[in-house]
Amino acid sequence: MSELPRPTTARGEATRQKLLQAAEAEIGEKGYSRASVSSITKRAGVGQGTFYLYFPGKEDALRELVRHMGRELRHALSRATVGATSRTEIERRGFEAFLTFSLGHKNLYRVVMESQFVDESIYREYYQTLADAYAVGLRKAQASGEFREGDPETQAWALMGVAHFLGLRYTIWDHRVPPEHVMRTAFDMILHGLEAPG
Amino acid sequence: MSELPRPTTARGEATRQKLLQAAEAEIGEKGYSRASVSSITKRAGVGQGTFYLYFPGKEDALRELVRHMGRELRHALSRATVGATSRTEIERRGFEAFLTFSLGHKNLYRVVMESQFVDESIYREYYQTLADAYAVGLRKAQASGEFREGDPETQAWALMGVAHFLGLRYTIWDHRVPPEHVMRTAFDMILHGLEAPG
Amino acid sequence: MSELPRPTTARGEATRQKLLQAAEAEIGEKGYSRASVSSITKRAGVGQGTFYLYFPGKEDALRELVRHMGRELRHALSRATVGATSRTEIERRGFEAFLTFSLGHKNLYRVVMESQFVDESIYREYYQTLADAYAVGLRKAQASGEFREGDPETQAWALMGVAHFLGLRYTIWDHRVPPEHVMRTAFDMILHGLEAPG
Amino acid sequence: MSELPRPTTARGEATRQKLLQAAEAEIGEKGYSRASVSSITKRAGVGQGTFYLYFPGKEDALRELVRHMGRELRHALSRATVGATSRTEIERRGFEAFLTFSLGHKNLYRVVMESQFVDESIYREYYQTLADAYAVGLRKAQASGEFREGDPETQAWALMGVAHFLGLRYTIWDHRVPPEHVMRTAFDMILHGLEAPG
DNA sequence: CATGAATGAGGCTTCATTCAT
DNA sequence: GATGAATGAAGCCTCATTCAT
């Protein structure tokens, strides 16, 4: 009723993974509230009750999924930006990696977005964690003189907004516009701003 | 797609408005799936069955609400930017107006955000309409040489992303950071970009 | 969710009564936890959901039933003892009425007994109300010199215990021993005690 | 009816005892139907399946517990009344011992009371065994002229009713009234009856 | 002896929607 | 126009019990 029992055997761990994957697919496709635990267990090929051996309730599977997505995305961003020689380069590669990642994890991405309507704290935690890491990099780039001065946290949230909306619009909803095209315009704006020089 | 049958009497119109306001409060506070038609009618002070005299179903009230929010926001933006002397000025005032508006319509804003999980098309229509109008302005500013070249639609989506995320983070979730502070950083970035000049 | 809506129409009141009677039969026969809401509604000939139009939950039907039994029993005792010329007479008639009543309401009596394991307060209220009324009568009989001195509340509980156990043993469980026989022994003991005089 | 297979090793016996104690606590605290086998095994510190090595099912643990309580209570009563010089003395000491015992075994007592709703026969057996032993003593006291004539079995049930109700009311539910006070009134009534002499 | 993962029946409850008045 | 009683499908969750290890 109150404890969250973690499986102790390998068999248990496998079942847990099956459930998590099934939950990702089910919730990603139908949305959290239309997704049913019984469908999840059916997809996972286990009995209904088995779900509750691994999660205290439906909401907790969602939480788990969002945390998982957060970890995966951060890893993807790390991998993509390793070895970059400038912050500008990091931004570009990170942006690209984000779009690729979202496209490759549409379901999980939907799950993250919807989490805000189930328990806002899950969603806030997800983005705040990203923003914090992001702000660190921006602060360094300002210190080194590469980037213009400005509050790094605000910038981080603004940039996440750009990425989120462009990702939603141009990769998740409709990817007929070539990504390079979107990237070019977006990056020009992000790096040099809207105003024409002079 | 076709408009719902509208009431013909003044009394009917009043009931319809009461229901819409109740739906806004109920869905905004509890979220779409936790909101119930019976609570909505209770809030509106009408009988349960009355709801179905004005809306074919629960989803349709949501749809109506999103359209309503779209209209209101566009009016607010028009009003705010009328008489501006430059596109930069329009951007600034529009941004400000958007933040004020979201803050003043938290429930409605929540409803719009959640609509994507009920019927994506409502949500896409909402943003696409905004983006289209936005892009027209940006295109003009580019033509006049005030703004740098770039695909206006992409820019519009990117800018809406900035506004959405900053609004969510700094006005809806937590408005301890003063809006001027957020605005200053955001605008510097939007107009001149991240990179230091030279 | 929080209000307990009372029916406003005659039809509603009728449904409520059907449900209450069905609940009495169902819970009385199977016991509270083995009784199911769905069986209750089936017996009542209404849809499952209808139950929740009249009771916030299963427990509340039980509560209602116990209160009902309390009122009925008190009425029966009043009726039985009206016109008695001595407290001894009241005791005798009350005792008899109690046994008759329990026998005629086996199901309801079972429901009352079981209520203590669902929500003790229901059960305590039931007996405390009886005890309070009982003690008033005993106190008067002591004041008038008819009954020996002693704490009336304690006496009331003791006498309810006698009635309860004898009723359970000799009317509800097994009524092969003639009631007069039980009554004679019980009354002799209650009125004159166990000890032989002298 | 037949005894359950008992463990043959000392280790097994220890496990069985742990389970029984855990069941007493769990069922006593939560009530039979809210008590779960898995909680019992958790309390006992053994695996879930282990329960079924010692009991055919949940009900059987209850049965065992009631029998256990019966034995313990009878022993307590024997010990308390040994060496008493009159039946009156036996009554007094027995009554006192019963109250002390119930107070010291609240959980077990609750379990016994609830058993009637799980399997009435367990409960009836419990009280019938007590009543039979009780009646033997009462019959002797009548034969010796110490107690007034009357059907001993009826008297036994009546007296158990007194003890049960007073125990429930004044020790288990609320022991603010001093036991001596309750005992004095109760005993006066039991030994000499309600009616004033003369 | 002991374990704990797995099961699936079954219970409670919610709710969008219908309909007779 | 309006009502509110009624419905039944559907969902979440619990739990006694089984069984392979």
Side-chain angles (χ1 to χ4, degrees), chain C residues 8 11 15 47 49-50 54:
Chain C
T8 51
R11 183 190 180 200
T15 302
T50 305
Y54 297 96

Side-chain angles (χ1 to χ4, degrees), chain D residues 8-9 47 49-50 54:
Chain D
T8 48
T9 68
T50 305
Y54 295 97

